[in-house]
């Protein structure tokens, strides 16, 4: 496993996106815990969760509680694992997602997340999505208050524009350490936000990093995947999975990138973790870029 940093904290270059362990089509707890343990066995030290990663309306925090139980049952030291959680979204139980990033809601949510995770302070707390009904500065100001109160040790923002990153950085300063936007070979709309994150020294955590190759948990059972792409051809030449090539490509985009692929099986996260050991050649990167541009 290779490593990268989030505000001076060393973490694995590949993280575990834990959402699939708690939403629709989730595995049973035995397999879910085994997936987390497989990630830890593979050297992964970054786990991405959120209070809204659940299925039914009455089970807010399902994923956070699951992660806490899995870490407690691991049987080895997990003090070096950074659990990053998020607040500001909700799931009413009908498959939809809501947004509530009022300062009062964010502060209450962070305190509840800390209790579920069993920590005195959350290692990394991210505002899940800007709320169009709330002034951005007010939502980010709540993160500032959480930092000052010691409820969280570091703050991040997700699903944001470059302008929102700059505004949040002005308010939070060194307290802002990460940006989590959708980014993959198939979805590259956040290229400006990746460049800005790199410039500001912020970790960039792509969600749904395997877009185009593997179906996202957000897509549901009807989501499609690609076959026969340049990623598949290079994977065949290397004798590895296309997913590993996609993650290695992301790692090559910037030293700020730390992908968090979602997994619901031990085998899938074990495979994804191997991407951290894979370095693509200049020729391979050029081939991938030519295919994406084409």
């Amino acid at each position: 496993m290779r490593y990268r940093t989030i505000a001076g904290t060393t973490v694995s270059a590949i993280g575990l996106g834990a959402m699939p362990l708690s939403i629709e089509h989730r595995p049973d707890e035995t397999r879910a815990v085994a997936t987390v343990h497989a990630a830890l066995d593979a050297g992964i030290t970054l786990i991405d969760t959120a209070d809204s990663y659940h299925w039914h309306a009455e089970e807010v925090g399902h994923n956070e509680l699951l992660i806490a139980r899995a870490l407690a049952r691991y049987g080895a030291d997990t003090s070096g694992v950074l659990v990053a959680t998020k607040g500001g979204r909700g799931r009413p139980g009908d498959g939809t997602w809501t947004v509530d990033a009022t300062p009062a809601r964010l502060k209450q949510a962070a305190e509840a997340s800390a209790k579920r995770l069993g920590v005195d302070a959350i290692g990394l707390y991210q505002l899940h999505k800007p709320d169009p009904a709330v002034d951005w500065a007010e939502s980010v100001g709540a993160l500032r208050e959480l930092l000052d109160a010691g409820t969280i040790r570091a703050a991040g923002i997700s699903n944001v524009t470059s302008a929102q990153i700059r505004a949040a950085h002005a308010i939070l300063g060194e307290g802002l350490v990460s940006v989590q936007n959708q980014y993959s070979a198939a979805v590259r709309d956040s290229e400006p936000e990746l460049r800005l994150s790199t410039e500001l020294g912020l970790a960039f955590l792509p969600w749904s990093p395997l877009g185009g190759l593997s179906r996202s948990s957000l897509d549901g059972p009807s989501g499609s995947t690609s076959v026969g792409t340049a990623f598949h051809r290079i994977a065949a030449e290397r004798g590895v999975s296309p997913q590993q090539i996609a993650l290695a490509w992301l790692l090559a985009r910037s030293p700020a990138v730390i992908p968090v692929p979602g997994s619901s099986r031990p085998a899938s996260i074990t495979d994804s973790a191997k991407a951290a050991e894979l370095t693509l050649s200049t020729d391979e990167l050029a081939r991938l870029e030519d295919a994406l541009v084409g």
Side-chain angles (χ1 to χ4, degrees), residues 194-212:
L194 169 56
R195 290 195 298 269
L196 180 57
S197 296
T198 304
E199 174 190 324
L200 296 176
L202 307 176
F204 187 86
L205 314 178
W207 62 264
S208 197
L210 299 175

Side-chain angles (χ1 to χ4, degrees), residues 252-277:
R253 302 297 291 169
S254 165
V257 171
I258 306 173
V260 285
S263 298
S264 62
R265 298 180 297 112
S268 60
I269 192 57
T270 298
D271 180 73
S272 290
K274 293 177 182 176
E277 306 165 6

